[in-house]
């Protein structure tokens, strides 16, 4: 069982992801903005983060990933966003511009999400 | 004979292709050069250009007829006299200058003299709003023109300007400098510091400074750079929007000349941050006289290793800037229209989303920023984000360059912190007696005296920097008429609310002038304006009724019930 923090401004999506992850035996905490997300990281010290991109600002997730790595947060980050679908462009992990461990497009199948979480926690 | 001419033309087009490229994006500069040489884009010229670029002649004609500086119907004279007809030059007495040009040349506006020497045209905003009325003759600019200067100007033309000493660039009137204009940075400092940072740290610096786009919309610059920088693509572009066409705005004209190195440094920093190899500086056709200076500055930076391959020894970072010239279309200041224009298309805005950061120039991630934004970014990289954030308000950090024109004692360029009230600004420029102030140009809002306590900032009254002061004796209906004439002329015609709406509002204003507009019809016009704000495709149509609506709201008593002048 892992302690997972999800940061996403879409409350319905957060609820859906939560139920999937809880069914997989994880403990899940949610935050709904970049600012509250940063506070939650300090408070919860999660084993893994699931991070949206387009929140209050269209690039909040990218900026937050950068801030987290600057703050020495070394746990895995799974970026889960529809920014690629909306913009028609490709986004991926990138050691400088997008320092996350995996980038997945929304929507995501529950089994793929659980597999990805398992993979990242095992890494 | 015609065959020889055609061969000559084809050879010339081939040479131009080598200069501007083989693809469609070379179309506009090729047409501009051909017009300069032939005086007119004839059917043959358009046909041969189309064949050379592998496109249909109709597409070339579509482009040529879109831009007001390109001519397909009537050969232009050796000297094309373009008189600015927008609001600030109008307030400064454009009508009498226009009449005198007609009297001296014996032609009306839109016509060419029989000897083929002079063409008389109106043009929209030459960016000389603080020094109007302004006239542009080919690539020469005349400021503060009076009717009695007109015969001398014409005589100078007849003598090929041999007797006139022109300043290469008309000096700008900078009335107040602030931390941006007084930056006192050593040459190349901003770029040098930026290249010591990682790409993401450059963006983080801009984010921390809270820099928002200086063009008026106030979109966070770092967000734009971040999205373009993170997108996975081998080809990305940086575009500088130097298509400063908003009536009443002229600060970029000054910056393009006085802060050229910082501008090019800002573009290069942006190129580094987003991973672009190429930048375009899209200069409005009305600023043709700045071309030589800008090209020289670009070349100087290439020679100094500040543009080109492995810039300042940074392995793998290559970036170059190319200058492209607009051709007299206000709409090309809208970023997607600007990209269309760069691609050699009619400057018609695209649907958004997708936004240019994702699918911009040639379908690649592209950032488009204002001249002032790039300069601010370069200074922020040199001096740090905290320095910049000291000025302005919480949501509008930094200072802003304002272009002040109209009825005030000290028109010119002012650098002032965001958050300043309209009243404070008026005291600064000597316009305390104003009855209204137009903030944000023709597409902005008309603020009446009771609202002078409001702040100029993104959280209250947003502005790209255009401030036009209206004195106590100004007829606000004439102000509204001038703005609507501008939009009727500049609408690209693509969407119905803007194309038809602006004409209908202008017709309504003409009824108001004659005292023949009922209150119920005026209410219809207000509803039409509100519909345009909602239903137009781009920012031009959405904002074109703003001035009319705010003038009607605040000056209804002044514009209703007019008694027409006796005939």
């Amino acid at each position: 069982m892992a302690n997972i923090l999800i940061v996403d401004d879409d409350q319905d999506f957060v609820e859906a992801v939560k139920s999937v992850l809880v069914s997989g035996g994880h403990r899940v905490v949610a935050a709904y903005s970049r600012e509250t997300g940063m506070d939650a990281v300090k408070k919860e010290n999660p084993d893994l983060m699931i991070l949206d991109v387009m929140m209050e600002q269209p690039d909040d997730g990218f900026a937050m990933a950068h801030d987290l790595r600057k703050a020495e947060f070394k746990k895995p980050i799974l970026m889960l966003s529809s920014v690629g679908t909306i913009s028609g462009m490709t986004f991926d992990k990138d050691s400088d511009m997008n320092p996350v461990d995996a980038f997945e497009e929304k929507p995501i199948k529950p089994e793929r999400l659980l597999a990805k979480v398992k993979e990242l926690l095992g890494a | 004979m015609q065959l020889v001419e055609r061969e000559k033309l084809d050879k010339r087009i081939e040479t131009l292709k080598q200069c501007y490229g083989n693809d469609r994006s070379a179309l506009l500069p090729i047409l501009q050069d051909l017009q300069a040489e032939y005086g007119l884009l004839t059917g043959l010229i358009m046909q041969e250009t189309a064949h050379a670029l592998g496109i249909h002649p109709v597409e070339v004609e579509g482009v040529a007829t879109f831009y007001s500086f390109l001519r397909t119907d009537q050969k232009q004279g050796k000297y094309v006299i373009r008189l600015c007809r927008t609001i600030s030059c109008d307030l400064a007495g454009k009508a009498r200058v226009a009449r005198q040009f007609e009297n001296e040349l014996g032609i009306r506006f839109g016509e060419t003299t029989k000897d083929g020497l002079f063409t008389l045209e109106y043009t929209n905003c030459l960016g000389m709003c603080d020094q109007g009325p302004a006239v542009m003759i080919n690539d020469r600019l005349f400021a503060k023109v009076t009717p009695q200067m007109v015969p001398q100007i014409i005589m100078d033309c007849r003598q090929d300007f041999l007797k006139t000493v022109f300043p290469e660039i008309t000096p700008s009137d900078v009335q107040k400098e602030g931390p941006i204009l007084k930056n006192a940075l050593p040459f190349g400092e901003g770029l040098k510091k930026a290249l010591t940072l990682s790409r993401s740290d450059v963006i983080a610096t801009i984010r921390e400074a809270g820099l928002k786009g200086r063009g008026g919309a106030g979109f966070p610059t770092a967000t734009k750079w971040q999205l373009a920088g993170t997108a996975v693509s081998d080809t990305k572009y940086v575009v500088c929007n130097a298509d400063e066409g908003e009536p009443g705005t002229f600060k970029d004209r000054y910056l393009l000349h006085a802060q050229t190195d910082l501008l090019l440094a800002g573009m290069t920093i942006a190129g580094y941050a987003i991973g672009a190899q190429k930048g375009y500086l899209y200069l409005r056709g009305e600023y043709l006289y700045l071309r030589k200076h800008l090209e020289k500055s670009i070349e100087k930076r290439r020679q100094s290793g500040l543009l080109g391959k492995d810039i300042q020894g940074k392995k793998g970072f290559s970036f170059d800037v190319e200058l492209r010239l607009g051709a007299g279309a206000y709409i090309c200041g809208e970023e997607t229209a600007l990209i269309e224009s760069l691609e050699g298309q009619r400057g018609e805005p695209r649907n958004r989303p997708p936004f240019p950061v994702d699918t911009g120039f040639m379908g690649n991630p592209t950032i488009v920023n204002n001249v002032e934004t790039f300069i601010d970014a370069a200074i922020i990289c040199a001096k740090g984000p905290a320095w910049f954030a000291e000025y302005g308000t919480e949501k509008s950090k930094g200072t802003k360059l304002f272009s002040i024109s109209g009825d005030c004692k000290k028109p010119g360029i002012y650098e002032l912190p965001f958050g300043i009230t309209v009243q404070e600004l008026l005291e600064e420029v000597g316009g305390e007696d104003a009855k209204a102030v137009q903030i944000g140009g023709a597409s902005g809002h008309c603020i009446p005296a009771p609202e002078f306590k409001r702040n100029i900032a993104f959280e209250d009254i947003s502005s790209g920097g255009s401030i036009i002061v209206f004195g106590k004796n100004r007829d606000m209906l004439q102000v509204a008429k001038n703005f609507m004439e501008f939009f009727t002329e500049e609408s690209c015609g693509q969407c119905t609310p803007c194309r038809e709406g602006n004409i209908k509002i202008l017709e309504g204003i003409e009824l108001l002038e004659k005292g023949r507009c009922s209150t119920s019809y005026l209410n219809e016009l207000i509803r039409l304006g509100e519909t345009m704000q909602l239903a137009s495709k781009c920012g031009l149509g959405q904002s074109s009724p703003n001035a009319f609506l705010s003038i009607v709201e605040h000056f209804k008593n002044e514009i209703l019930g007019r008694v027409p002048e006796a005939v």
Side-chain angles (χ1 to χ4, degrees):
Chain A
M1 187 192 107
N3 191 20
I4 297 174
L5 170 65
I6 175 167
V7 182
D8 195 315
D9 63 340
D10 183 340
Q11 301 209 3
D12 293 340
F13 185 77
V14 168
E15 286 309 310
V17 169
K18 238 183 186 177
S19 62
V20 171
L21 293 174
V22 167
S23 74
H26 301 292
R27 178 180 171 268
V28 182
V29 182
Y32 301 96
S33 69
R34 180 178 155 200
E35 203 183 348
T36 55
M38 288 302 282
D39 292 341
V41 173
K42 281 182 208 151
K43 200 173 147 201
E44 300 291 335
N45 191 24
D47 303 313
L48 179 141
M49 271 193 67
I50 295 177
L51 183 56
D52 184 24
V53 174
M54 305 176 86
M55 292 184 276
E56 199 178 324
Q57 292 294 330
D59 66 332
D60 267 348
F62 297 136
M64 188 169 167
H66 187 256
D67 290 347
L68 285 167
R69 294 309 187 207
K70 280 247 152 186
E72 299 291 315
F73 180 79
K74 289 181 178 157
K75 304 282 177 57
I77 302 173
L78 167 60
M79 189 165 267
L80 193 50
S81 169
S82 54
V83 64
T85 317
I86 290 169
S87 66
M89 289 303 292
T90 313
F91 292 93
D92 206 347
K93 59 180 182 175
D94 178 294
S95 57
D96 184 15
M97 295 306 289
N98 192 20
V100 296
D101 298 89
F103 184 97
E104 289 288 319
E105 278 285 342
K106 283 180 185 172
I108 187 168
K109 297 245 185 237
E111 51 273 28
R112 184 170 172 84
L113 175 65
L114 285 169
K116 206 74 207 171
V117 165
K118 191 177 169 192
E119 180 195 321
L120 291 172
L121 286 170
Chain B
M1 182 63 187
Q2 211 178 8
L3 209 60
V4 176
E5 281 300 310
R6 183 185 292 231
E7 277 174 13
K8 215 170 115 189
L9 172 63
D10 289 346
K11 270 190 190 162
R12 182 68 188 127
I13 293 171
E14 277 311 309
T15 316
L16 291 171
K17 272 174 68 181
Q18 281 167 20
C19 182
Y20 298 117
N22 289 318
D23 57 30
R24 172 82 188 243
S25 71
L27 177 59
L28 199 53
I30 289 176
L31 291 179
Q32 286 166 324
D33 282 7
L34 291 175
Q35 171 162 296
E37 288 163 36
Y38 290 85
L40 175 73
L41 297 172
T42 60
L44 181 68
I45 291 175
M46 290 190 278
Q47 184 185 306
E48 294 306 292
T49 308
H51 290 163
L53 292 174
I55 51 180
H56 198 282
V58 168
E59 291 198 51
V60 176
E61 190 174 355
V63 170
T65 51
F66 182 84
Y67 296 93
S68 66
F69 281 15
L70 299 179
R71 302 180 76 89
T72 57
D73 50 355
Q74 189 194 14
K75 191 168 177 170
Q76 64 183 18
K78 185 177 176 189
Y79 298 103
V80 182
I81 300 173
R82 294 189 169 107
L83 172 65
C84 177
R85 66 173 158 195
T86 33
I87 186 77
S88 300
C89 286
D90 198 42
L91 298 178
K94 163 224 84 183
R96 289 180 56 227
V97 174
R99 176 66 67 91
Q100 201 53 39
F101 268 113
E102 288 181 334
N103 292 343
E104 297 293 334
L105 294 171
I107 53 170
R108 308 290 298 261
F109 274 79
E111 293 177 356
T112 300
T113 53
K114 279 185 185 150
D115 58 6
L117 212 51
F118 295 99
T119 295
L120 206 47
E121 283 183 349
Y122 279 120
T123 189
N124 281 329
C125 201
L126 288 172
M128 295 297 293
C129 319
D130 57 335
Q131 301 180 53
V135 174
M136 190 176 173
I137 303 181
N138 298 354
D139 61 348
R140 292 170 195 263
L141 200 63
F142 296 79
K144 295 181 182 170
V145 177
T146 58
Q148 69 174 11
M149 286 165 68
V150 170
Q152 184 61 47
I153 291 172
I154 290 170
M155 199 184 292
D156 286 349
C157 291
R158 288 191 196 281
Q159 294 169 352
D160 281 335
F161 296 116
L162 292 178
K163 290 195 175 165
T164 317
V165 180
F166 283 92
E168 194 181 328
I169 289 152
T170 308
S172 298
D173 216 345
V174 181
Q175 298 279 2
K176 184 158 187 168
E177 292 185 326
I180 292 295
L181 293 182
K182 286 198 278 197
N183 60 75
L185 278 179
F187 180 73
E189 187 70 3
L191 179 59
K192 201 166 124 191
K193 285 215 173 152
L195 293 183
T196 63
L197 302 174
S198 69
R199 290 171 54 205
S200 55
D201 280 342
V202 170
I203 295 173
T205 303
I206 302 297
R207 179 176 286 114
E208 205 183 322
L211 178 64
K212 290 183 175 178
R214 266 32 187 173
F219 191 79
T221 304
T223 298
K224 215 180 241 191
W225 292 18
Q226 180 79 63
L227 287 169
T230 312
V232 180
S233 174
D234 291 335
T235 311
K236 297 177 185 181
Y237 294 99
V238 170
V239 175
C240 173
N241 185 347
D243 193 33
E244 183 184 45
E246 191 65 54
T249 315
F250 46 88
K251 47 104 187 163
D252 288 349
R253 181 196 78 213
Y254 166 71
L255 292 173
L256 284 160
H257 181 234
Q259 305 283 350
T260 321
D261 273 309
L262 275 174
L263 163 64
L264 295 170
M267 288 181 72
T268 312
I269 292 167
Y272 172 64
I274 73 160
Q277 303 79 32
K278 181 88 191 262
Y280 285 99
L281 203 170
Y282 187 92
L283 181 72
R284 64 191 303 237
E286 291 85 345
Y287 289 175
L288 176 64
Y289 53 89
L290 288 170
R291 182 184 193 166
K292 221 184 281 174
H293 165 75
L294 288 165
E295 283 178 341
K296 224 162 103 182
S297 303
I298 291 169
E299 191 49 42
K300 195 177 141 205
R301 287 183 78 84
R302 283 185 193 132
Q303 301 299 330
S304 314
L306 298 168
L307 284 175
K309 279 190 180 166
D310 299 333
I311 291 172
Q312 291 209 314
K314 186 94 181 172
K315 283 269 172 232
F317 173 49
S318 301
F319 186 77
D320 207 348
V321 174
E322 187 179 331
L323 185 77
R324 284 289 166 98
L325 207 60
Y330 165 78
I331 186 62
C332 290
E334 199 277 344
E335 62 181 1
T336 61
L338 189 156
I339 291 170
E340 286 285 305
S341 180
L342 272 180
E343 290 181 0
Q345 310 279 353
R346 292 161 67 87
E348 290 173 347
R350 296 173 177 175
N351 285 325
R352 290 147 54 115
F355 294 94
V357 284
D358 306 314
T359 47
F361 182 60
M362 297 304 205
N364 296 298
T366 303
I367 57 150
V368 183
N369 279 125
N370 177 260
V371 173
E372 190 182 344
T373 311
F374 282 121
I375 290 170
D376 285 1
I379 302 175
I380 288 166
C381 285
K383 297 199 169 193
W387 168 83
F388 185 78
E390 270 176 36
Y391 306 94
T393 68
E394 182 56 32
K395 288 183 178 168
S396 308
K397 297 218 169 24
T399 57
K400 177 83 192 81
L401 262 69
F402 293 100
S403 313
I404 314 285
S405 63
D407 302 322
C408 62
K409 290 183 191 116
K410 294 178 284 176
I413 294 163
Y414 289 74
E415 185 185 346
L416 299 165
F418 267 123
I420 190 170
T421 65
V422 179
Q423 183 62 42
E424 286 164 345
L425 186 139
L426 286 171
E427 284 162 15
E428 189 79 51
V429 307
E432 296 90 335
D433 291 340
K435 79 168 171 186
V437 179
Q438 182 73 18
I439 297 179
S443 58
H445 291 271
C446 191
I447 307 296
E451 294 185 18
F452 284 175
K453 287 215 162 57
R454 289 178 66 182
N455 302 95
I456 303 175
F458 295 118
E459 56 269 38
D460 191 359
I461 316 172
S462 175
S463 168
S466 167
I467 308 277
I468 306 167
V469 183
F470 302 119
K472 288 241 176 296
N473 298 323
R474 288 295 169 194
D475 180 346
M476 297 312 287
L477 190 59
Q478 288 308 309
V479 170
K481 188 180 180 186
N482 185 290
F483 286 146
M484 294 321 295
E485 283 173 342
F486 173 79
F487 284 119
T488 302
E489 177 71 22
E490 294 295 346
S491 169
C492 78
Q494 199 183 175
C495 74
T496 311
C498 175
R499 184 185 62 241
E500 301 300 326
N502 284 312
I503 293 171
K504 284 288 157 200
I505 291 180
L506 180 59
E507 286 171 2
I509 290 173
E510 283 161 359
L511 286 179
L512 283 161
E513 261 184 322
K514 292 172 192 158
R516 289 180 53 213
C517 183
S518 66
T519 313
S520 66
Y521 188 62
L522 183 60
N523 289 336
E524 285 293 326
L525 291 174
I526 292 169
R527 277 195 287 275
L528 171 64
E530 289 164 352
T531 305
M532 289 163 68
Q533 288 175 325
L534 288 171
S536 296
K537 184 174 175 178
C538 79
L540 186 152
Q542 288 158 14
S543 59
S544 61
N546 287 352
F548 168 74
L549 292 175
S550 47
I551 286 172
V552 169
E553 185 187 346
H554 301 300
F555 298 97
K556 201 177 255 179
N557 207 29
E558 183 182 320
I559 63 175
L560 276 175
R562 295 201 168 203
V563 180
E565 283 176 28
V567 182

